[in-house]
Amino acid sequence: MHLVLLGPPGAGKGTQAVDLAKETGLVHVATGDMFRENVRGGTELGVLAKQYMDKGELVPDEVTIAMLLERLSRDDAQTGSMLDGFPRTLEQAIALDKALEERGQRVDRVLLIEVSPDEVQRRLGGRWTCPTDGAIYHETNKPPAVAGKCDDCGRALIQRDDDKPEAIARRLTVYNEQTAPLIGYYTEAGKLTSVNGEQSPDAVRADLLNALKEVA
Ligand code: AP5
């Protein structure tokens, strides 16, 4: 089963994907995390991606599609995946459909997490992440047990470079212009389920799991 998590920046895709991956056994594939790993590693891909990410722009399709398809070709993604942050353009969605079709597979369900632009601003302004395991916190909604430290590994939490106000605003515009058209694309394909993302994380997770029962 291949699932796509769709939604604006800060909708809670990463937060939910971690739990859903545990519940479903699907491998969590997050293109944003893959780019950040490359940035930290100082790879050629990381240097290129950083120029776009810091401004809140999308990394070019050609590079992103190649990275994602290579990831899906690995053993742990042969029978399914939980895609978080991909696809983000129509070109990416079409490339994904084509690649899965060649394997006799398809995108089975697209889960759209809906939140308002005001909520996005509140969430991203207060987000802290662990540079080691990617755990996601929020200074008021989901604070760590010890301020500034990861609950799991104790490492100092960091704020993402693209969580600055100008980059957040640009990410929202880019989402509306380039990613929101995917809502129509997947609705027409009969694959989209929308969930209200402005509830507690547990309530959002329950709605997402309910939506998945239709697929199983
Ligand atoms: P990416 O890392 O994918 O960022 P994003 O889509 O902007 O999404 P975020 O990670 O910001 O938010 P999220 O929805 O995962 O929310 P989270 O769970 O963290 O991409 C970053 C960049 O990489 C892009 O801008 C682009 O440059 C590049 N890129 C990536 N993929 C690409 C692609 N396919 N093509 C081209 N370029 C690409 O939650 C946010 C906060 O809210 C947290 O603090 C959390 O604790 C809190 N929270 C979560 N849920 C709730 C809730 N229910 N109630 C209250 N608070 C909550």
Side-chain angles (χ1 to χ4, degrees), residues 1-3 17-18 20-29 76 79-83 212:
M1 177 164 68
H2 293 277
L3 300 177
V18 172
L20 287 183
K22 279 184 204 148
E23 297 266 357
T24 60
L26 295 171
V27 62
H28 175 202
V29 175
D76 60 355
T79 53
S81 64
M82 159 106 33
L83 299 179
L212 288 184

Side-chain angles (χ1 to χ4, degrees), residues 1 3 106 108-111 190-195 207-216:
M1 177 164 68
L3 300 177
R106 60 187 181 149
D108 293 286
R109 178 81 9 202
V110 178
L111 301 168
K191 294 183 175 177
L192 191 99
T193 305
S194 300
V195 161
D207 284 356
L208 292 171
L209 286 171
N210 255 336
L212 288 184
K213 284 188 193 143
E214 294 166 23
V215 188

